[in-house]
Amino acid sequence: KAADQVKPLLPRVEDAFQVFMRELRPSDLEGSAGMFRLKEELLRRVNLTVYPAKVDAVLFKELLVQ
C-alpha cells in the first residue's frame, strides 16, 4: 500500500536526494559514520517528501564518489 503512495512522488524524492548529495564532499562520506549519517539524512528527506506515507529504510546498491 505504501509503495502505491510513494511511486508518484519518486521524481520529488530524487530531486531532494540530488540537491543534498551535490552539496556533499568526499570527506563527508568517510568511514562507517559517514555512511550512517548519509543514510539517516536521506531517510529523513524521503519521509518529508512522501508524508503521510512512511519509508523505514534506505538501501544502497551502489555508491560512486567522484
Side-chain angles (χ1 to χ4, degrees):
K1 180 180 175 184
D4 292 335
Q5 293 175 321
V6 171
K7 275 187 182 181
L9 299 172
L10 286 179
R12 286 185 183 174
V13 170
E14 186 175 332
D15 182 61
F17 282 9
Q18 287 181 359
V19 168
F20 169 68
M21 293 185 79
R22 284 187 180 140
E23 298 172 0
L24 293 175
R25 298 176 305 261
S27 62
D28 294 331
L29 303 174
E30 288 180 356
S32 59
M35 292 302 294
F36 177 78
R37 286 190 301 271
L38 177 61
K39 277 187 163 190
E40 290 299 309
E41 183 60 27
L42 293 178
L43 186 59
R44 184 186 76 79
R45 288 174 183 259
V46 74
N47 278 314
L48 286 173
T49 304
V50 302
Y51 183 82
K54 181 161 174 37
V55 174
D56 295 325
V58 172
L59 172 65
F60 290 118
K61 291 174 79 176
E62 186 175 342
L63 183 65
L64 174 65
V65 179
Q66 294 182 336

